[in-house]
Amino acid sequence: MTINWFPGHMHKARKEIAKVMDEIDAVIEVLDARLPLSSENPLVNSLRKGKPVLKILNKSDLADPTKTAQWLNYFNGLENIKAISLDQDQKKLINSIPDMCKQMVPVRVNQDRPVRVMIMGIPNVGKSTLINALLGRRIAKVGNEPAVTKNQKRYILKNGMALSDTPGFLWPKIEDQESGYRLAASGAIRDTAIEYELVALFAAQFMLNEYPQRLLERYKLKELPIGSDELLEDIGRKRGGLRPGGVVDLHKASEVLLHDMRGGKLGPITFETVAEWIFKQEEAIRLQKEAEEAQLQLEADAAKKALENQNYRKSGENKYDA
């Protein structure tokens, strides 16, 4: 199954962001700490036009702390990027975010206007909750579902920072389908836009591979099932997902697993590692290089054949003239 979700308001948001980006000094990009690169919108890099970015690995209380530390090292090693991990109980760290942004654009601090920062991120990563925490009052609408914010807004913080909020938006085509499943499993894609059972099967196999003990403890299983299908059936039997005749309601079982995963009831998990993404990037570069070399070879072969045909025609003409 191909997973993509790009409703009209997301296209509108992208166009509006591009229009005002020249007025922005820095960007805050909110990521999901459980899937840092899958939740990183590739359009942000092109839209921000090289401006410094503070990447916030949000919901860090739901993520594997060891893997979060590895992701922070990765992002902080990149040019013009600062990264921190965050959960909404870290009030002191939240209050220090405006100062972090100012430090990233020191040339703007002494000018007679607030430092202008735009906060960006895909749906359901906690942008609105973070904005409310920064403002110290509930202004941005919050919901435990994607695409709650629909329009761009601007707020002035007491510490001299102007904060522009943007609707959470994805990108038109998710090329890496494993990322698509991770986004769907985390709740970044509206449930009505996905095949619930297929996403749950992906999540079940991930948990069997990476965190099997959590499954035994949460669902009180005597032993691990062989595969993801069997796991969903076991969850259905344990959690009231039986239909008349003893048939397991797989949709009900899928809801139980995904809601437990999203709510942290299966413990802190991280869907992806730095090493995995470095391998993917290197593989993509290799394949691109091979494709370019193959194209050059095709062009060289075509040129050689054209030359041979030209020489053949000339030799035929010379023979006729003789």
Side-chain angles (χ1 to χ4, degrees):
M1 181 184 69
T2 299
I3 295 179
N4 285 296
W5 183 50
F6 195 69
H9 77 272
M10 291 187 184
H11 177 65
K12 178 185 175 185
R14 182 178 64 173
K15 288 169 57 177
E16 290 180 350
I17 289 169
K19 284 181 184 177
V20 301
M21 184 54 72
D22 286 341
E23 303 171 8
I24 299 300
D25 300 318
V27 170
I28 295 174
E29 184 179 14
V30 185
L31 307 174
D32 188 324
R34 297 168 296 175
L35 51 155
L37 266 189
S38 288
S39 63
E40 183 184 63
N41 190 330
L43 296 176
V44 170
N45 273 338
S46 59
L47 287 169
R48 70 184 176 94
K49 301 178 180 178
K51 296 178 189 292
V53 58
L54 172 63
K55 290 185 182 287
I56 297 179
L57 277 62
N58 204 24
K59 304 184 180 182
S60 62
D61 52 320
L62 300 178
D64 185 320
T66 300
K67 292 176 181 176
T68 297
Q70 294 169 352
W71 277 111
L72 290 175
N73 286 336
Y74 169 78
F75 283 123
N76 280 314
L78 301 178
E79 186 178 1
N80 228 13
I81 289 175
K82 178 177 176 60
I84 62 171
S85 61
L86 182 70
D87 68 67
Q88 295 308 309
D89 290 332
Q90 295 175 291
K91 305 300 182 187
K92 187 174 180 180
L93 182 57
I94 291 171
N95 291 335
S96 70
I97 287 175
D99 286 334
M100 292 183 200
C101 293
K102 290 178 181 179
Q103 290 167 12
M104 296 177 76
V105 283
V107 69
R108 299 293 189 190
V109 174
N110 296 325
Q111 295 183 357
D112 190 24
R113 67 167 178 79
V115 172
R116 298 168 182 168
V117 177
M118 179 176 286
I119 186 166
M120 303 170 72
I122 68 169
N124 207 30
V125 290
K127 270 193 316 96
S128 296
T129 301
L130 176 58
I131 288 170
N132 289 337
L134 286 169
L135 293 172
R137 59 193 189 279
R138 187 183 177 90
I139 289 183
K141 186 178 179 182
V142 175
N144 190 26
E145 60 175 308
V148 171
T149 303
K150 293 290 196 301
N151 299 302
Q152 194 172 145
K153 301 178 178 68
R154 175 172 285 189
Y155 309 100
I156 303 296
L157 278 64
K158 293 178 181 178
N159 45 25
M161 189 174 87
L163 184 66
S164 295
D165 182 20
T166 59
F169 70 102
L170 291 161
W171 49 107
K173 186 177 181 182
I174 301 172
E175 298 286 353
D176 187 314
Q177 284 308 300
E178 195 167 21
S179 289
Y181 277 99
R182 290 168 180 169
L183 290 164
S186 72
I189 297 175
R190 194 178 292 278
D191 285 345
T192 54
I194 65 175
E195 292 288 342
Y196 224 73
E197 291 173 28
L198 287 178
V199 175
L201 286 170
F202 167 84
Q205 192 60 56
F206 166 77
M207 291 300 298
L208 284 169
N209 293 342
E210 301 295 331
Y211 302 98
Q213 188 62 32
R214 311 267 185 87
L215 297 170
L216 294 173
E217 295 168 359
R218 176 65 182 169
Y219 303 114
K220 297 180 171 55
L221 304 176
K222 292 181 180 179
E223 59 182 8
L224 285 173
I226 296 173
S228 53
D229 292 304
E230 292 83 356
L231 176 58
L232 284 185
E233 289 184 1
D234 286 349
I235 292 172
R237 292 189 189 97
K238 291 281 187 179
R239 293 301 178 89
L242 286 178
R243 293 174 175 171
V247 177
V248 174
D249 184 339
L250 289 178
H251 186 83
K252 171 69 174 177
S254 299
E255 285 183 334
V256 170
L257 175 62
L258 290 177
H259 291 171
D260 282 355
M261 179 178 281
R262 293 169 182 175
K265 293 179 180 177
L266 287 168
I269 64 172
T270 296
F271 285 99
E272 55 198 22
T273 65
V274 174
E276 171 197 345
W277 272 103
I278 289 176
F279 174 79
K280 283 187 176 184
Q281 291 166 351
E282 290 175 346
E283 187 69 4
I285 292 170
R286 183 184 68 79
L287 292 174
Q288 178 65 26
K289 185 177 179 181
E290 287 182 357
E292 290 172 355
E293 290 174 349
Q295 182 61 33
L296 289 173
Q297 187 62 51
L298 284 173
E299 292 172 0
D301 291 344
K304 181 180 178 182
K305 188 172 182 179
L307 181 60
E308 288 174 349
N309 288 339
Q310 184 181 14
N311 290 336
Y312 178 78
R313 286 193 299 272
K314 284 182 177 179
S315 65
E317 291 170 0
N318 293 337
K319 182 177 181 182
Y320 179 78
D321 291 341

